[in-house]
Each structure stands twice: as C-alpha cells, then as structure tokens.
Amino acid sequence: MSTQRKQYPFPEFEAKWQKHWLDKKSFRASNPGDADFDAKKPKYYVLDMFPYPSGDGLHVGHVEGYTATDIIARYKRMNGFNVLHPMGWDAFGLPAEQFAIKTGQHPRVTTERNVARFREQLQGIGFSYDWDREVSTTDPEYFKWTQWIFLKLYNSWFDPAQNKARPISELITQRKSELPNESETEHRAFLDSKRLAFVSEVPVNWCPELGTVLANEEVVDGKSEVGGFPVERRPMRQWMLRITDYAERLISELDGLDWPESIKLLQRNWIGKSEGAQAKFDIADSAAEIEVFTTRPDTLFGATYMVLAPEHSLVDEIITEGQKAAVAEYRKKVGSKSDLERTDLAKDKSGIFTGAYAINPVNEERIPIWIADYVLMGYGTGAIMAVPAHDERDWEFATQFGLPIRQVVAQEPPTSGTVCDMPPAECFKEIGYAVNSGFLDGLKTPEAKQKMAEWLEVKSLGKRTINYKLRDWLFSRQRYWGEPFPVVWAGRQHQALEESELPVVQPEMEDFKPTGTAEPPLAKAKDWVRYSDKLQRETNTMPQWAGSCWYYLRFCDPKNAGRFIGEEAERYWAQGTNSKTHGGVDLYIGGTEHAVLHLLYARFWHKVLFDLGYLSTVEPFQRLINQGIILGPDNQKMSKSRGNVVSPDTVIAEFGADALRLYEMFMGPLEQMKPWSQKGVEGVYRFLARVWRLAMEENQEGDWTVSPALKEMEMTPRQLKVVHATIKKVTEDIEKLSFNTAIAQMMICVNEFASSEERPVEMLRVLLRILSPLAPHLTEELWEILRGKFSGFEGLASQQTWPTYKEDYLLEEEVEIVLQVNGKIRDKILISKNATKESTEEAAMSNPKVKEGLEGKTVVKVVVVPAKLVNIVVK
RNA sequence: GCCGAUGUGGCGGAAUGGCAGACGCAACGGACUUAAAAUCCGUUUCCGGGAAACUGGAGUGUGGGUUCGACCCCCACCAUCGGUACCA
C-alpha cells in the first residue's frame, strides 16, 4: 500500500501548507496593545491539556483531543473570533529524570529533544496553534512565575471571616496589635500555622524505589502511580499547601461551570463534604476529654464504646498500666503495616482495649475506649464514638470483640411502650425513628439529629461541624528535575526569598540520582545549597502539578517579563465569554485522568490569585470536555506490552494528516471510548480522495488537472437542498462537538455530486469552507488551485468566513407522511407542507392500504402529527 | 461494597417520544481491465413465503410499566468499563 501512488498528492501539499501557515503566522492571535488588535472581535480561548513530552512521541489519543480543539479553533476564526489556541510542554517530571539517570544525559537535553519531536509531530498534523505563544514549564522564564506564585501562597493566609485569601502582612499587623508582647518565636509559629504554603511533619507516602514522597493522589492501591513501586507511610518534614481551606469553595463554585456532571461529582466526592456534629466525651478518672466527629448525632444513646486512631496523642495519657505493653505492641504492628497491607486486611478488624473508660454525656454511661486502625488519624478528630447497631464498621468490630450493641434507631415509628431492648439481628444504617434515646424517642432521624446537635450546643458539649475528606496538598518532592523552592533556611526556620531573586534555577549537576535517603538530590550540590554564612537553600523541588496549575494564564501573555500575565491581557482573555467571573478558557479538552488532580489544583491556585487581586475570575475553565480513550484494534487498551499501539506517524505516512484527523473525528462521539480501525482510516481517506476528484482529474501523463466537469452553473433545487442542509447540519454539529455526524453529512453531500457529469463550482465554494476545519490541507490546496480558474477563491480557505444556509432551500412543497394503524406502518404519502390537520387526516382515511387495515374495525382515536405522521387507533 | 458511564446489524456508529440501523467498514454481485489494484454501480438486521416486483413475522442487554406510539421516559435486574474504598 505504501509504495502505491497516493489517491491525491497529500505528501506534497500537506507539508507545503504547514510551512505556509507557520511562515506567515496565519493563526496568530493578537493581544490588546498589538498593532493589529481589533477590539470589536469577540475572543475565544480553546485549550488542550498540554502534554508531557515523553520519549515515545505523540499518541493517537493525544491527536483526538487536539483535533477536536483545532476544529473548534478554526471554526471560531471563520466565524469572526479572535481565537487563542496555544500549545506548550509540561516538561518537568519523573520519567525525564529517570531516563537521564539511566543514560547519563542531563534531563534538559532529553527534554529538549522530546519537545522538538512533539512539536514536529504536532505541526505535521496541521494544528493551528499560535506557535509564538509556546511555553515550557522547565524554562526558567516560565518557572520564575511558578516560584512567584509559590511566594504568593507563602505570603498569604485564608481568612475564614471573609472566606478568601489575604496577604499575610495584614495578619501580622492585626496580630501585633492584639498580642504586642508575643515572642518572636511564637509570632512566627502563629504565622506559619496560617500560611497557605507551610512546612509540616506529616506521615507521607514515601516511595523508596523512586526516592521521593508522593501525594495521596499519586498513590494507587498502595503503589506509585508512576512505575507501580511500593509506597510506605513515614513521617517527614514537607511543604504543604492549605487547599483544605478552599474545600467549600472548590465544591460550591463548581455550580456555574459547564462541565460534565460526572466530573463535577468526581471532584465533590474527592473533597468529600459531610455534615454532622462534634461532641466531647469526658474520660473517667482523668481531666482529658475525647472529641469525636459524627454524622449521626442522633445515635449518641447507642454509643457503646469509643475508638481512637492508633497514632492519637491522647492514647499515652489515658492508657492504664495493665494495658501498656499490649497497646505498645499493637501500635508497633500497625505502624509497620504498609498502605497495601492495611487495605488488604480491611476485611478483618483489629484493635486493642486501652483500659480507660469515657463517659457518654447523654446518659453518664461508662464506655470502654479502644484503639483500632480502622479509625484514621487524618479524618475528623481521629477518634470516634462507636454505634455498632447503626454503623457497619462498628458492627463488625463489636461483633468481633464482643462489645455491646444497642439499637437506637427503628425502621418503623415505635408504638407506645413496646420498646425492644434485645440486641438487633443486623446493622441498620438507614434513617428511621429514634428509640431507646431518652428525649429523642419517636423523632425521625433528621429531626433527632437536629435536636441532639442543639442539645450538645446548649450544654457546651459540642457543636455542628462540617468535615472534608480532602487533605492538604503535599507539595515537595525529592527530585532534581522540578522547580526549586524560592526558600532558604536558617537552622529550623524557613524564610522566603525576594521576588527579585527569581528564578531560582537548579544547579548544574553531574550526579542527580536519588540519595537513597529522605535527602533530595539537590542536597549534593553543596555550593548551591550554601546561600550565605547563615542560610541554606531548600533542596526539595515542587511536584509536576505546579507548572500545569497556571499555564493557561501564561499563554495569554507568554512573553511578559514583568508579570505572570499582563493586566490587560488578563482582562481580555481570562474573562468568560458568557460570564465576567467564570472561566476565561471557553473550552478545555483533555483526558479524564486529570478529572480530580490537575483540575482541582489549578482551580485552587486560580482562586488564591483571584482573592489576592491578580485575576478577575473565580474559575479558570468554563467548559470542559473529556475525550474518550482510544483502544487498540483488538479492543484492548493500547500499550507497548500488548503491541497494539498505533502511531500517528505511520498513519500520516500512508494516508496523510487530513485522513488521520478526519478518522479520529469520524470514529464516534468524542467522549466515548472506541477502538482504532485501520479500515476506518481507509474509508475517510477514500472520502477525501472523492472530494479531491470533485475538482480534479488525472490526465494521460498522470498529472492532476482541474476537472472539465466543474462549471459555473445554477444548482438544481435538489442540489441546493443538499448543500444548504449540509451547511446547517455541519454548523450545528460542530457547535455540539458532534464531529462524526458532521462528517457523515458531508459524505452525503459529496456523494450527491460525485457522479454528476457537470458539477457546479458553487458547491465547492461552500464545501471547501465547511470541510476546512476538519481537513485543512486538502481544502487549502483545492482552494488555491481553483483561485485562478473561478471567482470567489481569494485568500486562504482557512481564513474565509463561515457560510450561512437559507432555510428556504431546505423546505419542499410536499412532505412525506407516515400512515400507521395501531402503530404499524401501512403506507407513506406525499402531502402539501401546509396541509391542515383535518386534510391530513382525511388523506390518511382515504388511503387504500389504510382502509384495508380498518376493515371490520372501529376507529377509537386518530393521532395527527402535522408534517410527520397519522396514527389511527382501532379496536 | 459505594458512586458514575455504557449496552442498537458481522464491526464503528446514527436516530433521544413519531419510518430503527443515517454515514462508514466488512461481505456479496456487477461494470471497467489481458489481469490485478484503484474507481464506479447495486445488495446487505434476522427468520419465513415468493421466479419476481413483493410479502408475513420478530427485533435496540433482560423483565415489567407509562403512552395512540418507546432505542428514547419510569421501575427492577444483568453485563462491561471507569472511579473510589474502613472518611465515622
């Protein structure tokens, strides 16, 4: 096949037009202040999730999303928009560093090589990016601003009263006036407890194989997401970002976004809001108290024991002499468990009695305090009241250890005086009616919750609370190939560098292998680490997410040396088309793998920058679409090990970039998972060849010349109808991102003309324009060829205005009506489009086939849908 | 377990209350050709009847329901894929 003559000369003209577009900057977007900026043009920002430039090159999965955005970008330009359609590189990251270690090359070298390859591949598909705006997260001119944003986080705090971030300087002033005599150490400790970027000694996910800590999000089933290496918990001092302060806004501000509901739900679940109450339990023979969080305060009368997380600080304080050894042993055992073991053993509960008792505040009952690893230190207060009758985990634990179970919620409202005191046969988690619960008895669960919460508040024993699953974001990594922190240390005290010292660039190092300890590779660059006599540089680097948190902003003003984004550019590009406050990115397309992580982190940074007055919108991405995964031809996920990976390069070599683009869009709905088919590519390739031959034919010498069948002539009503129906359908389908059906309609249109002896040129003036966003090279070439021969082919096809359709051509005088008897089709008739209901019904009743169906039956009802159908119901 | 998505010919899919299978692939038949490729024309959901134009029946994962009418709306279930997992 590959040695065969191509059905149209794409190898020549595709390269030609790619070069032309690039040289002439045909798709440059202009910024406010540019000489050619036109303020009257509406703006449209259409963005891809920029790739990590891996050594494998571009994947057909990338091409799918990128083609979709490219079609929209080209379509919007043709509709008069100033379109921002940029591309860049998320080029920091572990694979580059590991490859560098393996081959002994500097990651910057391999990264640059990979970027060059990706750029060449993308340009070889004819994507209409504004290449003047290309950015890379690894460029010091870029990460200077990533570090700058970190400084903003470091120098800010979240004010719950205003529900927004504010500069830390305001807090310093406030604190100094409130506590003028506070010591410097205490003052610093207070500030550090408020900063949005802070250092904390926390149990982290340490991956010995990778020599780094990982975010919770990067750990899958107890293994690293990258490489699948085992991950263990260990406490380490790490940089954290206080994303939890934004939990509520990250949920509520999703509302105005035009995102798939399933993705919003994924984010909501990840943040995991739950409403309930906090309650204090006294400890018998001790001054200490245990604070617990519960979503079911109505079940307080059913709390028959308590559980502390093994790491809970109260354990040492309350433990009785006799239990010390046993508890110590249990804690040791739990501590050595990896996350994997913890989940593996989730079936069997384990725990141990501390010997201490708490007092249930509602009934003064003494209940035992246990420790168990099914209670997590990181959620709520790290302690629970156990209500085995109404919580499955507590039920399992109580059953296993023989602890009492008391029913306090009944499915049915209790009838007077028949409260059963027997332990229930199974766990009842649903809502119902309070029983055995003193002042709550008889109340429905929601009311009982309410009443108990009020009771706790009145007695000062607790209060209504909201808890989130979301944890603060672990923001440091022990890697070389990442953004260094703009931070120095004086002993145990950190301090931020001045903005003027940015960027902080990694030192050139021969050896950036992991140290095998918790110490990052940068620590080995002693000269670099030594900042001054007293100060040492921070040696951790930022995670890969950092650079991708704000790249969409940099694209708006990529060359600005004085600001991360210019104010004017921000106001122009970063504001939504439909809303001033939401979503400057009008359309964002990428894979679901970023549904929680990247999108949550980017939203968080965006909100902080908004709060601090640097941005004018609260949300970055107005509309989000996830493209579906492309499977291999064997219906399996593409992977090197399966050997079913399809490379865009080979497809282009054989069928051209237009065919690749068109096939990716013709496969099926963008958001759906679908398998690759070589035959399918050939199908769209044939279609493109047919379009080519509408205008061209081969002469004796085998050269392509303009077809003599092409004539300046009137279209027949039938042809007008097809052409205008096609404009309509393609326009509507592109707006809906329903590219597969848009292509199908264009195929219908081409089939209509392909076999005609004489072909009207007007048809090509329309078709080449509406096909241009999908197959830009072929249409550009034909447009140019026809320029000399016919009028109306001036300029570039890709810079034409989008055609409009006339509704008049779509309607015919007569419409086909379906005649049904009892829902079964009897006949189809043609009838005037203006026929009344009555005359339509009359025509149906007098139809011979309908009459046949009515014989010997009684007409019960006649349903007439004008211009569509008549259904006669008989008995 | 929980949450979400999907289920239509041999295959990818179309139609989202009104002619199920648009468009494409594959297959089969034909034209062109010394031959092949390419191209063009035709047939193609399944089962049955007919030499044929045709004609009878069934049909959108399964079972129920709403409706004159359901791939589409409602209820229950099954399967596949994805997310998540002791979050009190």
Side-chain angles (χ1 to χ4, degrees):
Chain A
M1 187 84 195
S2 48
T3 53
Q4 244 169 55
R5 184 181 159 80
K6 305 297 182 191
Q7 292 197 27
Y8 55 95
F10 67 81
E12 294 82 44
F13 71 64
E14 287 190 349
K16 165 184 150 191
W17 287 109
Q18 284 158 13
K19 185 168 185 309
H20 181 102
W21 294 327
L22 214 55
D23 291 349
K24 295 284 177 349
K25 298 188 191 297
S26 305
F27 306 116
R28 193 180 148 270
S30 56
N31 262 27
D34 288 354
D36 60 343
F37 179 74
D38 178 0
K40 288 192 293 291
K41 270 192 170 186
K43 72 93 186 176
Y44 196 85
Y45 188 175
V46 49
L47 181 69
D48 293 301
M49 289 183 185
F50 68 163
Y52 172 74
S54 74
D56 298 332
L58 211 59
H59 187 268
V60 289
H62 289 119
V63 178
E64 186 187 19
Y66 298 168
T67 303
T69 53
D70 195 57
I71 292 166
I72 296 296
R74 288 170 174 273
Y75 169 78
K76 288 286 177 184
R77 272 187 215 107
M78 293 176 79
N79 278 282
F81 287 80
N82 185 22
V83 172
L84 177 54
H85 187 41
M87 182 43 82
W89 321 109
D90 188 17
F92 275 131
L94 208 44
E97 182 167 325
Q98 286 177 312
F99 186 74
I101 291 166
K102 219 167 23 182
T103 61
Q105 297 178 80
H106 195 278
R108 191 169 293 285
V109 174
T110 54
T111 298
E112 270 166 20
R113 195 165 57 217
N114 290 348
V115 162
R117 168 107 194 277
F118 263 68
R119 191 190 297 115
E120 197 181 315
Q121 284 185 301
L122 290 172
Q123 289 174 350
I125 304 172
F127 292 135
S128 63
Y129 295 119
D130 178 354
W131 285 104
D132 286 352
R133 292 174 186 261
E134 178 182 347
V135 299
S136 171
T137 55
T138 55
D139 181 349
E141 285 311 300
Y142 180 90
F143 71 66
K144 168 183 178 178
W145 298 106
T146 311
Q147 292 169 335
W148 179 85
I149 296 170
F150 175 83
L151 290 181
K152 293 296 147 199
L153 290 157
Y154 181 87
N155 286 317
S156 307
W157 62 295
F158 189 85
D159 181 356
Q162 294 186 17
N163 195 24
K164 61 178 258 198
R166 293 170 59 192
I168 200 102
S169 54
E170 294 173 16
L171 186 62
I172 294 172
T173 319
Q174 188 187 320
R175 184 75 172 183
K176 289 244 157 107
S177 71
E178 281 169 12
L179 296 167
N181 299 322
E182 192 178 36
S183 76
E184 186 58 23
T185 323
E186 277 171 355
H187 180 68
R188 277 175 168 279
F190 169 74
L191 292 182
D192 289 349
S193 75
K194 294 291 178 187
R195 294 180 190 279
L196 291 180
F198 63 104
V199 171
S200 178
E201 172 105 15
V202 285
V204 297
N205 305 298
W206 169 254
C207 179
E209 194 72 27
L210 297 174
T212 184
V213 298
L214 299 169
N216 288 332
E217 292 84 341
E218 293 169 312
V219 181
V220 180
D221 289 335
K223 291 183 180 156
S224 63
E225 192 184 17
V226 177
F229 303 116
V231 172
E232 56 192 50
R233 307 282 296 175
R234 62 150 89 166
M236 280 171 69
R237 283 168 66 82
Q238 297 292 328
W239 283 98
M240 309 284 291
L241 298 186
R242 223 178 284 280
I243 191 173
T244 51
D245 282 349
Y246 279 83
E248 188 57 45
R249 278 173 60 189
L250 286 168
I251 291 178
S252 64
E253 286 163 7
L254 279 172
D255 286 348
L257 298 178
D258 191 7
W259 289 19
E261 271 314 310
S262 58
I263 300 297
K264 288 190 185 181
L265 196 66
L266 230 47
Q267 292 222 345
R268 288 195 193 99
N269 290 345
W270 188 265
I271 298 165
K273 178 180 182 174
S274 49
E275 294 179 55
Q278 221 148 292
K280 271 185 263 183
F281 284 62
D282 283 331
I283 296 172
D285 316 316
S286 163
E289 333 172 288
I290 298 179
E291 189 138 48
V292 301
F293 171 74
T294 176
T295 54
R296 293 293 299 270
D298 62 301
T299 61
L300 198 45
F301 282 92
T304 53
Y305 64 101
M306 303 196 79
V307 187
L308 301 179
E311 309 90 340
H312 201 286
S313 57
L314 225 49
V315 175
D316 288 323
E317 205 174 317
I318 61 166
I319 189 166
T320 57
E321 208 49 51
Q323 290 300 95
K324 267 194 177 151
V327 167
E329 194 191 329
Y330 178 72
R331 287 175 113 181
K332 202 176 149 203
K333 200 176 90 196
V334 169
S336 67
K337 272 191 204 172
S338 69
D339 267 20
L340 195 59
E341 286 170 310
R342 247 176 135 150
T343 37
D344 264 358
L345 299 172
K347 316 272 180 291
D348 277 324
K349 296 249 177 321
S350 70
I352 191 137
F353 180 43
T354 61
Y357 288 84
I359 309 294
N360 188 335
V362 288
N363 55 15
E364 305 295 323
E365 213 167 56
R366 275 168 65 94
I367 55 176
I369 304 170
W370 285 61
I371 67 171
D373 67 351
Y374 82 93
V375 173
L376 308 172
M377 197 54 224
Y379 183 78
T381 61
I384 62 156
M385 62 176 209
V387 185
H390 307 291
D391 180 284
E392 206 160 85
R393 296 149 301 176
D394 297 344
W395 173 274
E396 279 171 33
F397 192 79
T399 316
Q400 198 171 324
F401 291 95
L403 291 156
I405 298 169
R406 182 186 307 142
Q407 184 189 5
V408 290
V409 184
Q411 197 159 6
E412 302 296 328
T415 46
S416 56
T418 59
V419 171
C420 175
D421 225 7
M422 292 282 288
E426 57 184 13
C427 182
F428 178 70
K429 297 175 293 184
E430 267 57 56
I431 62 166
Y433 299 84
V435 294
N436 296 328
S437 294
F439 59 90
L440 298 179
D441 277 351
L443 289 177
K444 273 185 168 165
T445 300
E447 283 90 68
K449 279 187 186 177
Q450 178 79 11
K451 190 158 183 183
M452 181 56 88
E454 280 164 17
W455 185 87
L456 286 167
E457 277 170 9
V458 168
K459 298 265 180 182
S460 297
L461 291 167
K463 58 175 195 288
R464 266 168 272 237
T465 322
I466 293 168
N467 250 302
Y468 301 91
K469 279 200 277 188
L470 185 70
R471 309 293 155 83
D472 279 328
W473 176 10
L474 180 83
F475 196 64
S476 42
R477 299 291 183 277
Q478 292 69 48
R479 291 179 191 162
Y480 172 76
W481 194 229
E483 300 89 345
F485 283 82
V487 168
V488 289
W489 291 80
R492 303 274 287 174
Q493 181 56 51
H494 49 76
Q495 69 186 62
L497 294 176
E498 292 300 316
E499 286 178 22
S500 59
E501 295 186 66
L502 303 181
V504 177
V505 183
Q506 313 94 321
E508 287 302 320
M509 288 174 75
E510 289 282 307
D511 171 22
F512 36 79
K513 279 201 274 297
T515 58
T517 69
E519 204 169 42
L522 283 179
K524 290 192 270 190
K526 300 276 186 242
D527 291 346
W528 183 82
V529 171
R530 187 177 175 280
Y531 180 81
S532 71
D533 284 346
K534 294 203 176 113
L535 299 172
Q536 306 265 302
R537 283 187 194 274
E538 168 66 61
T539 53
N540 283 292
T541 53
M542 299 184 198
Q544 197 184 349
W545 307 109
S548 61
C549 266
W550 71 285
Y551 74 109
Y552 61 94
L553 294 169
R554 191 62 181 170
F555 279 142
C556 300
D557 198 9
K559 303 271 158 49
N560 196 321
R563 216 164 179 279
F564 73 113
I565 178 175
E567 289 177 74
E568 222 182 342
E570 193 278 328
R571 274 196 303 276
Y572 181 70
W573 291 117
Q575 282 191 356
T577 301
N578 302 319
S579 153
K580 289 265 177 265
T581 55
H582 276 64
V585 177
D586 298 289
L587 178 64
Y588 194 21
I589 297 186
T592 344
E593 67 272 22
H594 295 120
V596 276
L597 312 182
H598 159 63
L599 288 170
L600 201 65
Y601 295 152
R603 292 177 63 219
F604 164 49
W605 278 33
H606 192 97
K607 286 174 196 304
V608 174
L609 290 168
F610 168 79
D611 287 351
L612 299 176
Y614 294 104
L615 297 177
S616 54
T617 57
V618 295
E619 283 285 338
F621 315 116
Q622 180 55 42
R623 185 173 178 205
L624 174 75
I625 303 283
N626 291 118
Q627 89 263 24
I629 296 169
I630 294 182
L631 303 172
D634 55 355
N635 245 303
Q636 301 282 309
K637 215 169 168 173
M638 281 191 198
S639 74
K640 272 197 249 175
S641 57
R642 282 204 189 85
N644 61 352
V645 177
V646 177
S647 154
D649 296 353
T650 58
V651 177
I652 290 173
E654 208 162 332
F655 304 105
D658 282 336
L660 170 68
R661 294 170 60 114
L662 208 62
Y663 175 64
E664 295 240 11
M665 295 300 99
F666 189 59
M667 291 172 83
L670 185 60
E671 298 181 61
Q672 202 167 296
M673 185 189 293
K674 42 211 177 287
W676 187 267
S677 152
Q678 164 88 11
K679 288 288 179 190
V681 186
E682 290 173 29
V684 294
Y685 177 60
R686 276 201 281 271
F687 163 70
L688 289 173
R690 218 148 47 229
V691 173
W692 177 258
R693 289 195 310 269
L694 281 179
M696 307 298 287
E697 66 171 32
E698 228 172 342
N699 65 18
Q700 299 281 306
E701 287 78 46
D703 295 328
W704 289 105
T705 58
V706 174
S707 166
L710 212 53
K711 291 209 167 81
E712 206 64 79
M713 61 192 274
E714 293 260 307
M715 285 199 270
T716 65
R718 186 191 154 96
Q719 289 174 332
L720 276 170
K721 190 185 169 188
V722 167
V723 168
H724 284 257
T726 302
I727 300 172
K728 181 177 183 191
K729 178 88 175 131
V730 171
T731 307
E732 289 170 354
D733 285 354
I734 288 181
E735 293 280 353
K736 287 189 299 188
L737 307 183
S738 179
F739 303 116
N740 54 333
T741 50
I743 295 165
Q745 179 64 39
M746 286 192 267
M747 287 172 167
I748 291 171
C749 183
V750 170
N751 290 345
E752 182 66 33
F753 288 95
S755 53
S756 327
E757 294 287 313
E758 297 189 313
R759 295 192 282 272
V761 184
E762 178 60 16
M763 166 267 298
L764 281 177
R765 272 190 283 261
V766 171
L767 180 71
L768 292 182
R769 278 186 288 165
I770 60 177
L771 181 58
S772 156
L774 292 99
H777 308 89
L778 176 97
T779 49
E780 203 74 273
E781 179 71 7
L782 285 177
W783 195 264
E784 187 188 52
I785 289 170
L786 295 175
R787 187 175 308 148
K789 313 279 181 199
F790 300 98
S791 67
F793 291 95
E794 285 73 38
L796 294 181
S798 52
Q799 290 174 340
Q800 300 304 304
T801 52
W802 192 255
T804 51
Y805 61 92
K806 282 210 180 74
E807 202 72 56
D808 294 356
Y809 295 135
L810 301 180
L811 297 169
E812 286 184 0
E813 280 309 300
E814 298 210 303
V815 287
E816 197 181 58
I817 303 271
V818 175
L819 306 180
Q820 299 179 325
V821 176
N822 275 354
K824 287 224 165 83
I825 298 154
R826 291 288 140 185
D827 206 359
K828 295 167 193 177
I829 55 168
L830 282 175
I831 193 165
S832 160
K833 66 174 177 187
N834 299 319
T836 59
K837 256 188 154 178
E838 289 71 28
S839 64
T840 306
E841 182 174 337
E842 206 177 309
M845 297 305 277
S846 58
N847 178 279
K849 293 207 177 143
V850 170
K851 276 185 178 163
E852 206 178 302
L854 296 183
E855 239 161 80
K857 311 248 173 74
T858 347
V859 175
V860 179
K861 187 176 177 180
V862 180
V863 182
V864 181
V865 183
K868 277 225 170 102
L869 102 172
V870 178
N871 186 14
I872 302 156
V873 188
V874 296
K875 231 179 7 196

